[in-house]
Amino acid sequence: MSSIPTAVDLENESIFPPFHNLPSEYLRKAPKLKSHWCFLAEIHEIVPYLRPMYTVKDKTGAEHLVVFYLDNGTRIPTALEKSRKTYTMCIMDAVKHQFMDGQVGIRVEDEKSVKILPCTLQQLFNIRDNIVNLQGVCNVCCGPSSLKCSKCKISYCGKTCQLNDWNGWHKVECKVAQQLSEWGAFDWDS
Ligand SMILES: [Zn+2]
Ligand SMILES: [Zn+2]
């Protein structure tokens, strides 16, 4: 396996577009985007309603509605069970949908297209920058690295720093870092 996590560029708007650059559901594709893309937004509100419904904020701060229309009706989908306010929602190949009441948002029909990361949007960007800046040095003390987290491949100088980190922030960071390397290895062009 690769020695360092592949750090996908979250600033690349052809992969991670803000809401206003998403294609409409009639086009399904936009010239500014790759063949696949992922909409990233922070959960602002979880609306108790007939269907699982969220308001989310993308990186521009604009607020949008995400509504889940799933075969299982009103059950909270597995992908969303861990969702909380301020967590980051990731929706693959999201398209703009006009709801019956005229509002424009995102209608999700396949829960597999959605992932929740247990951090804010800003923290997601920070974790990515951290991975890039700390390549090859300990994630805690910046000393020379001698081992890596077996899950996310982030580096440590030794067991002490690794354990301290796991008891602190790394539990979250590890999940996010794994998602970043999954995106890094993903073929967005196919
Ligand atoms: Zn260290
Ligand atoms: Zn890890």
Side-chain angles (χ1 to χ4, degrees), residues 7-118:
V8 70
D9 181 7
L10 295 170
E11 306 282 359
N12 183 344
E13 293 199 349
S14 64
I15 297 179
F16 300 104
F19 184 85
H20 63 257
N21 283 351
L22 295 179
S24 84
E25 60 195 322
Y26 304 108
L27 293 171
R28 294 267 163 191
K29 186 145 172 55
K32 282 180 181 169
L33 302 181
K34 294 198 177 263
S35 306
H36 295 285
W37 59 93
C38 185
F39 177 63
L40 300 175
E42 194 171 302
I43 298 172
H44 183 57
E45 214 178 342
I46 303 173
V47 188
Y49 194 62
L50 279 170
R51 295 178 184 281
M53 192 164 124
Y54 293 75
T55 57
V56 299
K57 279 184 178 177
D58 69 11
K59 67 175 186 183
T60 71
E63 212 174 284
H64 299 284
L65 192 63
V66 178
V67 188
F68 288 78
Y69 288 74
L70 306 169
D71 288 343
N72 60 31
T74 58
R75 182 184 66 80
I76 294 284
T78 318
L80 296 178
E81 272 167 4
K82 292 190 177 113
S83 63
R84 303 272 183 279
K85 272 188 193 184
T86 76
Y87 281 9
T88 297
M89 187 180 279
C90 318
I91 311 175
M92 283 295 288
D93 302 333
V95 294
K96 286 178 192 162
H97 172 82
Q98 183 156 18
F99 293 101
M100 299 280 268
D101 63 1
Q103 279 196 86
V104 176
I106 297 170
R107 173 185 163 125
V108 179
E109 286 166 27
D110 179 9
E111 68 175 283
K112 289 202 267 320
S113 65
V114 177
K115 280 185 181 160
I116 304 290
L117 296 176

Side-chain angles (χ1 to χ4, degrees), residues 138-143 156-158 161:
C138 175
N139 196 37
V140 178
C141 71
C142 296
Y156 293 98
C157 65
C161 274

Side-chain angles (χ1 to χ4, degrees), residues 149 151-152 170 174:
C149 173
K151 289 179 180 157
C152 73
H170 192 66
C174 192

